[in-house]
Amino acid sequence: MSLFIHPSILNADHHNMQSEFDRVVAGGADGIHLDIMDGKFVEPVTFDLGTIERYTAMCGLPFDAHLMIVEPEKHADDYIAAGADLVTFHLEVAENPERLIDHLHGRGVKAGITVNPDKSAEGMIRLADRVDLVLFMSVFPGYGGQKFMPEVLENVRALKRHCVEHGIEIMIQIDGGINLETAPRAVAAGVNNLVAGTFIFRSPDYGAAIQELRRACEKAESDF
Ligand code: DX5
Ligand code: ZN
């Protein structure tokens, strides 16, 4: 199974985004992770729709939009219109997750689900066969640069087991505190999509950072 790496541009240099995108594309990134925050579900506020539209026009990679917002059903279409290829929403704030998943698919984008790291994975496991991606938060959402929470790996394993047992093939993404030490542990637990912000954008050579992540995970991948 190949490993997908999606740089999170939360802490990229937003005054030089074309160059930031060019560097991660040249470095072998597979997609861009957009952290969308509304000041309600999480404290900070990020990326207005105009900015997202500009960014998705600048870069040909698929954009996965991680909606850390309340009332995701009200706003999902706006992010699709702004160019998101996959929309991930939090189950804690979705009124009817099944309906939102169907809605996203009907609009021609992929659907992802997530919960905060202190929540049980049961809801995500139950819906795994209806979505394209399950995101495991390995930090509390809101800020980049936080410390990885290893306890979330138990939930990753539970979902992975469920997927293997039921022949479900989806993206299992992890987000928060990913680096050379934590990435292989996540991959060994079943993750096949790494979101990395600080690790990539704080390194002098984004391509080297992406390659190092891949290399660090090679052995873990072969454990399956
Ligand atoms: C946290 C965001 C993450 C964050 C990851 O709310 O969901 O995507 O940008 O950043 P790092 O890799 O620095 O933990
Ligand atoms: Zn995120």
Side-chain angles (χ1 to χ4, degrees):
M1 162 106 47
S2 52
L3 179 65
F4 289 77
I5 297 182
H6 288 195
S8 156
I9 58 168
L10 190 58
N11 291 321
D13 175 1
H14 289 272
H15 299 293
N16 287 298
M17 276 318 283
Q18 188 63 63
S19 136
E20 295 286 74
F21 284 129
D22 292 347
R23 290 170 69 189
V24 292
V25 169
D30 301 289
I32 301 293
H33 181 85
L34 263 184
D35 286 306
I36 296 165
M37 310 186 191
D38 65 353
K40 294 178 191 139
F41 183 73
V42 289
E43 253 177 46
V45 177
T46 59
F47 309 133
D48 58 85
L49 291 166
T51 303
I52 298 170
E53 236 171 81
R54 275 196 301 120
Y55 285 0
T56 55
M58 278 181 187
C59 175
L61 290 178
F63 276 69
D64 86 77
H66 173 197
L67 303 187
M68 285 162 270
I69 66 173
V70 298
E71 300 186 297
E73 37 283 286
K74 251 195 196 170
H75 305 286
D77 282 357
D78 292 339
Y79 296 105
I80 297 170
D85 300 279
L86 185 152
V87 174
T88 298
F89 63 90
H90 276 257
L91 293 180
E92 295 96 323
V93 287
E95 234 170 62
N96 184 333
E98 286 91 342
R99 198 164 60 204
L100 184 50
I101 292 164
D102 289 346
H103 177 77
L104 294 170
H105 285 152
R107 293 293 313 269
V109 297
K110 292 183 173 158
I113 49 176
T114 187
V115 291
N116 279 352
D118 58 346
K119 298 274 161 38
S120 135
E122 255 170 57
M124 300 198 291
I125 292 175
R126 188 173 59 79
L127 293 168
D129 63 344
R130 303 174 74 122
V131 294
D132 305 281
L133 179 147
V134 170
L135 161 60
F136 287 93
M137 290 308 300
S138 39
V139 297
F140 280 96
Y143 303 92
Q146 303 183 73
K147 199 170 169 294
F148 183 78
M149 298 169 68
E151 53 271 36
V152 76
L153 294 178
E154 220 17 78
N155 288 342
V156 174
R157 278 188 208 98
L159 175 79
K160 178 67 183 177
R161 257 194 311 274
H162 175 83
C163 289
V164 169
E165 277 168 22
H166 294 82
I168 299 169
E169 283 188 20
I170 51 172
M171 287 278 184
I172 304 180
Q173 185 178 62
I174 198 158
D175 181 10
I178 289 299
N179 57 36
L180 295 181
E181 189 260 324
T182 56
R185 291 161 68 194
V187 168
V191 162
N192 58 9
N193 186 317
L194 301 170
V195 173
T198 311
F199 180 73
I200 292 173
F201 287 104
R202 290 284 176 272
S203 78
D205 181 338
Y206 302 166
I210 291 168
Q211 291 318 313
E212 280 170 27
L213 274 178
R214 283 196 204 287
R215 249 198 312 277
C217 294
E218 263 163 28
K219 173 128 188 9
E221 270 188 287
S222 67
D223 286 348
F224 277 119

